[in-house]
C-alpha cells in the first residue's frame, strides 16, 4: 500500500506539531485492501469491519476520493456504501465517474448500487412500494457474487428508490417480492450491486456474499491477522523510533493498556507511562492499575496525584460541556508540567483508533493535492487536545484498528481479561456521571454505588453480558423512610446497556431479582442514597452516558 502519512522533519518544532503524526501501518499486511467510499451511510464503518472479519484489510474514504487517488492506493476492490439521499436529488453525493473504468472490481450497496446504475446509463426512480426491514431474496443467478447464498435467505432492506432500467450489459442476479433488481452484475467488468445491506446481522447470508466479493471476485488473500499485525507493528516501531524516548498517557482502559504492552515489547525502557489520577476513577481502580502494571506486568508507571486540582476546577460547574472542557484543559496543564519533569521525550504515544480517523476523514485531505495525509491530532479522552509548544512526534500504532481488533491484539500479547473486556469508561470519568456540580461528597456517593453494581454483576458472572453497566447520581433529593425516620437523600440511576459497538444500544432486560439485590445494597450501604431507579432508554433517542 502506498504510504500516505506525512513526511517527518528531523526535529519537531512548535510550529509544525499538527503535521508530525506518524503512523506505524504494517505495510505488508495492507497491500491487499478493499476501499469503502462513504456516501453517508450509518453502516459504512460496519462494512469495513465485516471486510476485516474476512482477514482482509479495509479503509473507509470519502466519496470525494478521485479515481486517480484510488489508482495510487491500488485496492483489490471498491465498495460504494449506502446513504440517506436519492441519486436524482439535487446536490446528491456523486463519485468520480472515472472509477468505473479503473478495472477494479466494484460493489455498490443500496445507494451505491443506484449510483452505479444512474452513472452508467440506467434509470433510478421512486419505488412504488418502499422496502424496509427483512425480505426474502430469490436468486436468479446463483454463481459469482451469490455463490453459497441460499434461495429465500433473509436480507435487510432499507430503500424507497428502485432501479427501473439497468445499464447496457447488466444482468439481474436476484429479486425480492417488491424489488425486481435486488442484485445486479456486469460480469465482464466485475461491477456488482445489491439493493440490500449484506453487512448487517439481519442479513442471514450477508457475510457469505461479502466473502464472495473479497475472495473470489477481488482475489484477496487473508493476510490481515492479529499475529501478523503484532509482529509487523513491533518491527516498524523499533525501526522508526530507534533509540529515542516515548511518553504514554496511561488511563487503564483497553486502548492505552494495549498500546503500553505493544510499545514495551518493542522498545522496553525507552517507554515512560504516566498515569494522571484526576480523582474521577471508579473505586479502587487507580490502586489496581498501579499494582497491575508495576508488580505483575513490570511496566513502570509514573503516578501523578492531581485530584485536588481537578476538583477545584469543577467547583460550581454544572454544564456537561464545560466540565469536559475544564477537565481537558487541566489535564493538558498537568500533562505538560509532568512531561517536562520526566523528559525530554521525542514521541508521544496515543491510543487513537480507526473510528476516530474515519470521523476526521474529510479533514485529512490536502486541499491542493487531494492526497490523504495524517494531520489531525485526536483529542484523546485523556490528553484532550495538546498545546502546540509540546515538541512531540505522535506514535499511533492502533490508528488502523477497530475496538474489537484492539481487544484481539491486547489478548494476543498477554493483556489480562479484566482489562481486555473492561466496560468502556469515559475519559472525564465519574464527573459526567454526576449530573450537576461535582463535589467530593457526591463523588464518594457515586463511587460506592458504582462499586455495588460492579461487584454484584461480577459475583453473578454476568459482567460480560453487558456493553456497559454503571450508576448515575442525580442532583436532586427525594423523601424516603429508613428505620422509621424520614430521609431526604439522592436517587441513583442504574444504566445497563446491550450493544455491539456503542453506535446504537438498547437497555438490558436485567432480572428483577438482580435489580432488587443491587437496590437493597445501595440504599443500605451507601450513605446519602434512599432511592434507586432503572433507565430504560435506548440509543437513539438517548445516549449511553447521561452527559
Amino acid at each position: 500500500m502506498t504510504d500516505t502519512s506525512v513526511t517527518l522533519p528531523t526535529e519537531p518544532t512548535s510550529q509544525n506539531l499538527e503535521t508530525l503524526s506518524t503512523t506505524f501501518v504494517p505495510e505488508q499486511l495492507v497491500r491487499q485492501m478493499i476501499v469503502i467510499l462513504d456516501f453517508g451511510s450509518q453502516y459504512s464503518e460496519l462494512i469495513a469491519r465485516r471486510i476485516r472479519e474476512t482477514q482482509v484489510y479495509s479503509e473507509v474514504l470519502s466519496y470525494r476520493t478521485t479515481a486517480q487517488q484510488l489508482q495510487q492506493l491500488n485496492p483489490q476492490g471498491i465498495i460504494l456504501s449506502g446513504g440517506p439521499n436519492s441519486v436524482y436529488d439535487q446536490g446528491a453525493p456523486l463519485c468520480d465517474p472515472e472509477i468505473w473504468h479503473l478495472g477494479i472490481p466494484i460493489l455498490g450497496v443500496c445507494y451505491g448500487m443506484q449510483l452505479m446504475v444512474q452513472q452508467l446509463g440506467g434509470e433510478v426512480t421512486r419505488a412504488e412500494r418502499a422496502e424496509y426491514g427483512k425480505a426474502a431474496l430469490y436468486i436468479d443467478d446463483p454463481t459469482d457474487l451469490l455463490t453459497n447464498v441460499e434461495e429465500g435467505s433473509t436480507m435487510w432492506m432499507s430503500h424507497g428508490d428502485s432501479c427501473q432500467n439497468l445499464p447496457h450489459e447488466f444482468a439481474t442476479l436476484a429479486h425480492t417480492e417488491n424489488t425486481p433488481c435486488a442484485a445486479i452484475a456486469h460480469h465482464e467488468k466485475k461491477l456488482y450491486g445489491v439493493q440490500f445491506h449484506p453487512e448487517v446481522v439481519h442479513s442471514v447470508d450477508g457475510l457469505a456474499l461479502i466473502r464472495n466479493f473479497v475472495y473470489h471476485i477481488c482475489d484477496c488473500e487473508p493476510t490481515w491477522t492479529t499475529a501478523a499485525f503484532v509482529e509487523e507493528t513491533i518491527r516498524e516501531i523499533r525501526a522508526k523510533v530507534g533509540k529515542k524516548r516515548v511518553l504514554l498517557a496511561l488511563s487503564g482502559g483497553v486502548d492505552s493498556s494495549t498500546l503500553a504492552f505493544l510499545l514495551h515489547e518493542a522498545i522496553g525502557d525507552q517507554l515512560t507511562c504516566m498515569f494522571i489520577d484526576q480523582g474521577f476513577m471508579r473505586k479502587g481502580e487507580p490502586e489496581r492499575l498501579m499494582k497491575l502494571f508495576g508488580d505483575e506486568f513490570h511496566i513502570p508507571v509514573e503516578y501523578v496525584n492531581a485530584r485536588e486540582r481537578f476538583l477545584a476546577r469543577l467547583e460550581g460547574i454544572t454544564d456537561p460541556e464545560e466540565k469536559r472542557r475544564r477537565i481537558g484543559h487541566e489535564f493538558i496543564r498537568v500533562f505538560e508540567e509532568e512531561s517536562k519533569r520526566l523528559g525530554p521525550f521525542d514521541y508521544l504515544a496515543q491510543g487513537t483508533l480507526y473510528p476516530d480517523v474515519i470521523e476526521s476523514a474529510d479533514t485529512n485531505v490536502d486541499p491542493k493535492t487531494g492526497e490523504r495525509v495524517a494531520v489531525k491530532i485526536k483529542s484523546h479522552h485523556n490528553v484532550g487536545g495538546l498545546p502546540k509548544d509540546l515538541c512531540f512526534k505522535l506514535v499511533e500504532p492502533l490508528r488502523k484498528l477497530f475496538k474489537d481488533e484492539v481487544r484481539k491484539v491486547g489478548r494476543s500479547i498477554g493483556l489480562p481479561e479484566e482489562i481486555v473486556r473492561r466496560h468502556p469508561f469515559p475519559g472525564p470519568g465519574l464527573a459526567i456521571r454526576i449530573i450537576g456540580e461535582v463535589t467530593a461528597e457526591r463523588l464518594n456517593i457515586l463511587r460506592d454505588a458504582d462499586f455495588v453494581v460492579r461487584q454484584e454483576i461480577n459475583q453473578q458472572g454476568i459482567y460480560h453480558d453487558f456493553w456497559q453497566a454503571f450508576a448515575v447520581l442525580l442532583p436532586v433529593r427525594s423523601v424516603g423512610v429508613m428505620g422509621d425516620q424520614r430521609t431526604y437523600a439522592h436517587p441513583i440511576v442504574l444504566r445497563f446497556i446491550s450493544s455491539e459497538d456503542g453506535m446504537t444500544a438498547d437497555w438490558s432486560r436485567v432480572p428483577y431479582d438482580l435489580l432488587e439485590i443491587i437496590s437493597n445494597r445501595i440504599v443500605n450501604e451507601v450513605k446519602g442514597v434512599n432511592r434507586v431507579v432503572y433507565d430504560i432508554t435506548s440509543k437513539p433517542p438517548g445516549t449511553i452516558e447521561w452527559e
Side-chain angles (χ1 to χ4, degrees), residues 281-286 288 418 422-423 425 430 433 446-463 469-471 494 496 518 521-522:
M281 297 285 282
R282 290 173 287 200
K283 189 172 184 177
E285 283 196 332
R288 179 60 176 158
E418 68 175 278
R422 192 183 84 150
H423 289 176
F425 188 64
L430 299 181
R433 291 180 178 174
L446 183 57
R447 266 198 202 94
D448 289 341
D450 181 82
F451 179 76
V452 170
V453 172
R454 290 187 294 128
Q455 190 177 58
E456 283 298 328
I457 62 177
N458 270 309
Q459 286 178 352
Q460 298 204 25
I462 58 173
Y463 177 87
F470 58 91
L494 301 182
F496 287 41
I518 292 174
R521 283 196 58 190
I522 288 176

Side-chain angles (χ1 to χ4, degrees), residues 132-176:
Y132 298 98
K134 297 177 181 179
L137 187 71
Y138 302 107
I139 299 173
D140 302 302
D141 181 352
T143 63
D144 217 359
L145 186 68
L146 300 182
T147 302
N148 297 323
V149 175
E150 293 195 10
E151 174 74 8
S153 61
T154 298
M155 295 296 177
W156 186 260
M157 293 286 188
S158 182
H159 68 100
D161 294 330
S162 180
C163 299
Q164 294 299 315
N165 296 302
L166 297 182
H168 182 59
E169 294 186 346
F170 270 77
T172 299
L173 302 181
H175 65 278
T176 68

Side-chain angles (χ1 to χ4, degrees), residues 34-84:
I34 304 294
V35 164
I36 296 98
L37 296 186
D38 180 16
F39 289 87
S41 171
Q42 60 180 318
Y43 299 130
S44 295
E45 185 176 314
L46 183 56
I47 296 174
R49 288 176 58 204
R50 292 290 181 257
I51 300 296
R52 302 262 185 113
E53 287 176 19
T54 70
Q55 297 185 336
V56 173
Y57 180 70
S58 62
E59 280 199 14
V60 178
L61 303 179
S62 167
Y63 71 89
R64 300 185 185 94
T65 306
T66 66
Q68 182 180 6
Q69 291 171 319
L70 288 169
Q71 201 164 30
Q72 291 174 350
L73 290 173
N74 193 31
Q76 295 292 105
I78 300 169
I79 296 179
L80 310 184
S81 81

Side-chain angles (χ1 to χ4, degrees), residues 104-122:
I104 300 172
I106 299 176
L107 172 63
V109 175
C110 200
Y111 179 90
M113 167 179 159
Q114 296 165 6
L115 183 60
M116 177 186 295
V117 169
Q118 185 200 54
Q119 289 194 324
L120 293 177

Side-chain angles (χ1 to χ4, degrees), residues 358-370:
I358 293 174
E359 289 172 6
S360 61
D362 283 348
T363 63
N364 289 353
V365 177
D366 188 307
K368 295 181 180 179
T369 66

